Amino acid sequence: MTVLRSIPVLIALLAGSALAQDWTQWRGHGAHGASAETGLPDTWSQTGENLLWSADVGVRSAPLIHKGRVYAISRTSHGEVPQERVVVLDLDTGKVIWEHRFNAFLTDIVAHRLGWSNLAIDPETGYIYAHGIQGLMFCFDQDGEIIWEHSLSEELGRISGYGGRTYSPVVEGDLVIISSLTSSWGPHGKGQHRFFGLDKLTGEIRWLQGVGGKPKNTSYSVPVITTFDQGRIMFTGLGDGSIAAMRPTTGELLWNVPLSEDAIMASVLYHDGKVYAVHGRTNVDSGVMGRLLCLEAGTGKELWRVEGLSDHFATPALHGGLLYAVTNTGTLICLDANTGTQYWTFDAGNEGKGSPVYADGKIYLGDVPGAWRILKVSKAGCQLLSEEKFTRPDGGPDEVYSSPAIADGKVVISTLSRMFCLSTKPADFRSAISTASPSMPKPGPTAHWQLEPAETWLAPNDSLQFRLVGFDAKGTPTGETPPKAKFAVKGISGGMSGTGLFRAGGNRIQAGLVTARIEETTLNSRVRIFPALPYEEDFESLKADLPPPGWITSKLKAIVTEHDGNKVLRKLAERPAPPFARLRCYMTPALEAGYSVQADIFGITKKKRFLPDMGLINSRYLLIMIGSSERTRRLRLVSWAPVPRIIQEVEFPWQGDAWYTAKLHVSIAEGVGTISAKVWKQGTDEPAAWSIQMKDDHPNPAGSPGLYAYAVGVTSKSKGTEVLFDNVIIDRP
């Protein structure tokens, strides 16, 4: 007999209750880039006309509005050192209520692209979700307290490119969904665009799913979630240049349509059974640049296209059956949402990257070279109502990449250095507009089961209850009591009960699976076990030709091999592409600062003149033995290489084809970090003094221990400079 247990909180949260129409996601209610507000400004000025307030808060993405507050993720600084922050302002006055600042580290993203992603707000709890360029994923409460936190790069192998493109979280019922290109441990070492469904209250990974083919680039398309055909469905652009439909509750892929030779940057739109997607690169099926595509939501079947419409960055707005798209060169185009018929074009700027928002018969639109414009629009045409241009103190343009947020009679817009609140109404005006929250469809019979958590990590002797959750054919949780399952473990040690209670064992870093078998179906959960410090690894007991279990790296970058009769970890140098030339291998999740990392390191030369870079990672600081990638061999301490937030160097003429021992230690006392390193050649005594030290008055409080290498001299026909690691020690003095 099937017994119903209490339906998960997902259904309760999507029960169709009325909500004020706040701007809690970057494209507003329905993700159409449109607002029902009226009486909004036609004109304004920076000197006072229809200007409620301005603040020294620059935003690259989109601000959000919720319950009388403005929320943003932005670039800021600690003195002259760039940082990111989540900042909250009073909607009526622009005064800062709270902020949380955090460092950039271990990423190629440069300073002017900090604060790239959009925040997400859960209207039910008021929690705020943020994803920084360094991979930190936060959940804050309304007072700025951290509820939970992930480091996606160190824990899950998030891949970060130079361009700043960072994915934005979205809230769906009892989940917050985040995605990224990742290269993690085990089979997930293969790079792919992966989605993670996290419990919005705890951060637990409820589901994960790799989608699409080989990634072509990092991207930042934000998923759109709606109810369609009696089920919840999520539409999004992918890093492989395709458009996908997925179940947001389980990650199940429904369909996938190739579109672009580059990753999809703009977000998709959904309305009335149709999905709209744009891009501005070469189409996969033609040599034409750019396309606006309309797809059938249930199947991905093409309904119509506009070839050559090059809109790579800005997400169109949709209102009243009209689409408003902005091309790469700033042209605003109005089209029929049912047929794709073009009604008019208007020269609205020079470079379109911020997305337009429709409200009160107007389009609010930013222009990268430092301008905001208000345009009166209809099917008949477009008229410029207002134009404000912005300059920096040095006379250069104060650039605009942001999109507006609209609620309570106010329009909040931003440049890279300032935020402005426009309104024709009193500061304390509150709108009576409300909308129903989305309703979760009623569940049908259970069609499949999901093992949760989908990925986790524990310490020896920790216990965790794994659970089976049922979903119907449309991805709606059923709440049914699961059938009897046979639980087991693979590749890890520990005890497993018949009800799914696992107790971790062993004294080594391990990685494997917890499995649950229901009739002919086997469900898997990825599990790692990390013992307490000290930890030592000499690789002798590990399988050859694979990375160490649970370490964040791919077998295309680092594997255990033989060298002079011993096993070592070899950084490969066979692929010339930069993502494969560099190794950042994280051995455990983030640890509180105060530990040391030590390893023996051997740099293999090529043609006696090429040497690799090689070193260690501790608490998000790098010790690098600089080889021939630069002119002088030296030791370098750094945390954020593209824009050295803090850096120290000393000359150190180390030699190739010889073993060295390196040690990196980070300590924090009275708020100041001391980063210390020493390197000595094997066969000599460990020096009493540190080889190099630096102070950091805004230190990284935690981070993963890891290994670093960068190969040079790699060609398509010959290997470059490999690096060997041995006798790794992680200890807390």
Side-chain angles (χ1 to χ4, degrees):
M1 180 178 69
T2 300
V3 179
L4 287 176
R5 59 182 172 87
S6 59
I7 302 297
V9 69
L10 176 61
I11 295 178
L13 297 182
L14 296 177
S17 58
L19 300 172
Q21 197 176 79
D22 284 341
W23 202 269
T24 57
Q25 57 175 315
W26 84 288
R27 297 301 282 156
H29 178 74
H32 290 157
S35 170
E37 293 283 344
T38 59
L40 300 176
D42 292 342
T43 60
W44 74 287
S45 74
Q46 298 171 63
T47 57
E49 180 193 359
N50 291 328
L51 177 64
L52 197 58
W53 52 261
S54 64
D56 291 329
V57 176
V59 177
R60 188 181 187 96
S61 53
L64 303 181
I65 301 173
H66 180 58
K67 292 187 176 180
R69 293 181 173 186
V70 180
Y71 297 80
I73 185 169
S74 74
R75 173 184 172 179
T76 186
S77 62
H78 178 74
E80 296 182 357
V81 178
Q83 292 180 298
E84 281 188 298
R85 65 172 169 176
V86 173
V87 59
V88 181
L89 301 88
D90 186 283
L91 178 61
D92 298 344
T93 66
K95 293 182 179 179
V96 173
I97 298 172
W98 61 262
E99 67 175 9
H100 179 84
R101 299 185 178 211
F102 44 102
N103 288 339
F105 50 80
L106 300 180
T107 177
D108 292 332
I109 296 172
V110 295
H112 73 279
R113 296 185 176 186
L114 292 169
W116 184 285
S117 67
N118 301 286
L119 301 176
I121 295 176
D122 176 27
E124 195 269 339
T125 62
Y127 284 178
I128 304 102
Y129 302 93
H131 179 203
I133 58 107
Q134 67 296 94
L136 292 179
M137 173 83 178
F138 294 103
C139 171
F140 298 97
D141 69 12
Q142 296 179 63
D143 298 319
E145 296 296 322
I146 297 175
I147 302 301
W148 53 261
E149 174 183 348
H150 279 295
S151 179
L152 300 180
S153 299
E154 295 168 306
E155 296 169 3
L156 300 171
R158 187 200 77 141
I159 295 172
S160 165
Y162 163 82
R165 295 175 288 271
T166 308
Y167 294 93
S168 302
V170 292
V171 176
E172 165 66 5
D174 57 358
L175 300 173
V176 57
I177 298 169
I178 189 68
S179 78
S180 183
L181 306 189
T182 72
S183 173
S184 185
W185 60 273
H188 288 199
K190 181 180 180 180
Q192 192 176 19
H193 194 156
R194 292 185 172 90
F195 288 77
F196 301 85
L198 309 179
D199 187 297
K200 71 177 184 181
L201 301 180
T202 66
E204 179 188 74
I205 303 172
R206 300 266 296 276
W207 62 260
L208 65 89
Q209 182 67 53
V211 183
K214 181 180 178 181
K216 298 172 180 176
N217 205 340
T218 54
S219 68
Y220 55 95
S221 180
V222 183
V224 171
I225 303 173
T226 190
T227 298
F228 174 79
D229 190 26
Q230 301 181 346
R232 297 291 282 173
I233 190 169
M234 177 171 75
F235 305 101
T236 190
L238 299 180
D240 70 346
S242 68
I243 306 298
M246 305 169 64
R247 292 292 182 202
T249 48
T250 64
E252 177 190 3
L253 177 66
L254 301 178
W255 53 257
N256 181 251
V257 176
L259 179 58
S260 172
E261 291 292 354
D262 194 6
I264 301 296
M265 304 298 173
S267 300
V268 301
L269 288 165
Y270 168 83
H271 179 66
D272 195 24
K274 301 180 182 67
V275 176
Y276 305 91
V278 293
H279 78 99
R281 298 294 187 257
T282 304
N283 292 300
V284 294
D285 55 359
S286 73
V288 177
M289 296 280 286
R291 179 180 295 167
L292 168 60
L293 188 65
C294 179
L295 304 171
E296 187 177 81
T299 64
K301 177 183 177 182
E302 181 177 326
L303 298 176
W304 53 260
R305 68 171 66 178
V306 178
E307 199 77 346
L309 195 158
S310 188
D311 176 357
H312 196 57
F313 305 101
T315 299
L318 173 64
H319 179 80
L322 300 177
L323 281 169
Y324 300 93
V326 180
T327 69
N328 298 344
T329 55
T331 299
L332 180 64
I333 303 177
C334 176
L335 307 102
D336 188 289
N338 289 319
T339 65
T341 300
Q342 179 177 302
Y343 292 123
W344 49 260
T345 65
F346 186 84
D347 184 3
N350 296 284
E351 187 175 359
K353 289 194 173 178
S355 299
V357 167
Y358 175 95
D360 193 26
K362 298 178 279 284
I363 288 285
Y364 293 83
L365 179 62
D367 188 15
V368 171
W372 274 99
R373 297 180 177 92
I374 304 176
L375 307 161
K376 182 179 180 180
V377 294
S378 68
K379 183 177 179 179
C382 180
Q383 176 188 352
L384 177 65
L385 298 177
S386 172
E387 178 182 74
E388 280 290 306
K389 296 185 177 181
F390 308 87
T391 56
R392 302 191 307 261
D394 63 4
D398 190 2
E399 293 181 327
V400 176
Y401 297 89
S402 179
S403 301
I406 300 176
D408 290 329
K410 302 172 180 67
V411 181
V412 179
I413 61 175
S414 297
T415 67
L416 283 183
S417 63
R418 291 189 63 76
M419 181 181 289
F420 304 87
C421 181
L422 322 182
S423 184
T424 62
K425 299 178 173 64
D428 60 356
F429 174 82
R430 293 294 180 265
S431 174
I433 299 172
S434 64
T435 55
S437 61
S439 297
M440 173 60 69
K442 293 182 179 180
T446 297
H448 70 274
W449 297 92
Q450 183 168 281
L451 183 61
E452 298 180 359
E455 179 160 343
T456 191
W457 45 92
L458 305 93
N461 298 317
D462 282 352
S463 295
L464 181 65
Q465 178 66 56
F466 287 83
R467 59 192 182 275
L468 292 165
V469 180
F471 296 86
D472 70 9
K474 300 295 179 68
T476 304
T478 62
E480 291 185 9
T481 300
K484 186 175 181 179
K486 184 177 180 180
F487 289 92
V489 297
K490 181 179 180 181
I492 52 176
S493 59
M496 173 63 75
S497 75
T499 60
L501 180 64
F502 174 67
R503 183 180 176 87
N507 59 2
R508 309 292 299 164
I509 295 178
Q510 305 167 63
L513 302 174
V514 164
T515 65
R517 185 173 178 83
I518 304 174
E519 297 178 347
E520 300 302 315
T521 301
T522 299
L523 307 173
N524 298 320
S525 176
R526 289 162 51 87
V527 179
R528 287 176 288 172
I529 300 173
F530 297 103
L533 303 184
Y535 186 80
E536 299 183 12
E537 183 58 75
D538 63 8
F539 307 105
E540 295 300 331
S541 64
L542 302 186
K543 291 182 179 180
D545 301 322
L546 292 173
W551 291 22
I552 301 293
T553 189
S554 163
K555 65 181 181 180
L556 299 179
K557 297 175 77 170
I559 58 173
V560 175
T561 65
E562 294 276 346
H563 178 77
D564 290 343
N566 297 311
K567 284 186 177 180
V568 298
L569 182 67
R570 182 184 299 269
K571 163 63 181 76
L572 303 175
E574 300 171 350
R575 296 169 180 256
F580 295 98
R582 182 175 58 197
L583 173 74
R584 289 195 194 114
C585 173
Y586 303 113
M587 296 180 279
T588 77
L591 304 174
E592 183 180 353
Y595 64 90
S596 295
V597 183
Q598 178 176 311
D600 296 337
I601 313 178
F602 186 100
I604 299 176
T605 62
K606 180 178 180 179
K607 297 181 179 180
K608 297 183 180 181
R609 60 189 181 93
F610 292 110
L611 281 84
D613 295 343
M614 56 192 193
L616 304 173
I617 305 171
N618 183 329
S619 303
R620 299 157 186 166
Y621 297 96
L622 285 165
L623 163 66
I624 306 176
M625 300 169 64
I626 301 295
S628 56
S629 64
E630 300 181 24
R631 291 185 177 182
T632 305
R633 296 178 198 175
R634 55 192 182 275
L635 301 181
R636 174 182 295 162
L637 293 175
V638 67
S639 181
W640 180 25
V643 183
R645 183 182 68 80
I646 184 168
I647 188 170
Q648 185 72 32
E649 296 180 334
V650 296
E651 289 192 12
F652 191 86
W654 62 277
Q655 299 172 335
D657 301 320
W659 282 103
Y660 287 81
T661 300
K663 180 186 288 187
L664 178 60
H665 178 71
V666 177
S667 62
I668 300 176
E670 298 181 352
V672 177
T674 301
I675 300 90
S676 308
K678 60 176 69 174
V679 179
W680 65 98
K681 196 171 185 179
Q682 277 197 0
T684 65
D685 294 334
E686 176 181 348
W690 296 104
S691 305
I692 183 173
Q693 280 188 305
M694 70 178 180
K695 299 286 186 179
D696 187 355
D697 63 358
H698 198 78
N700 302 321
S704 296
L707 307 176
Y708 177 86
Y710 190 87
V712 298
V714 187
T715 72
S716 59
K717 296 182 179 180
S718 65
K719 293 194 300 185
T721 55
E722 295 183 324
V723 178
L724 309 180
F725 297 93
D726 201 1
N727 300 316
V728 176
I729 302 173
I730 311 168
D731 196 5
R732 194 175 293 276

